[in-house]
Amino acid sequence: VTGEYASAEQNAREALALRERELGAGDAATLSTRNTLGEVLRLAGKLEPALAEYVAARRGYEAASLTDSPDYG
């Protein structure tokens, strides 16, 4: 299972980098991907990095006035 989390984390980080590059850091899809990375990190037991991703996503939603998104919160 540990290898699956490592693979999921790598995939989420690659997706986030791509979306940041193509869509921008404040795009809803990018923020959703950042939230997904936080979830992968949480499930892998990496709680501090997970919290950092959740906080960054939340701040991004707030800055972009996207607080009605289902991923916000």
Side-chain angles (χ1 to χ4, degrees):
V1 174
T2 302
E4 292 175 12
Y5 286 126
S7 178
E9 180 182 346
Q10 180 181 349
N11 290 340
R13 288 188 185 283
E14 289 174 5
L16 179 59
L18 177 64
R19 286 192 167 174
E20 285 180 330
R21 185 174 60 247
E22 297 297 322
L23 303 174
D27 184 81
T30 304
L31 296 168
S32 178
T33 302
R34 183 173 295 285
N35 196 61
T36 298
L37 174 58
E39 186 67 6
V40 169
L41 291 167
R42 183 188 67 81
L43 292 170
K46 299 178 178 182
L47 302 183
E48 287 185 32
L51 181 58
E53 295 300 335
Y54 288 140
V55 168
R58 183 179 178 93
R59 287 182 180 156
Y61 283 116
E62 290 168 353
S65 299
L66 296 170
T67 55
D68 60 340
S69 169
D71 288 330
Y72 175 79

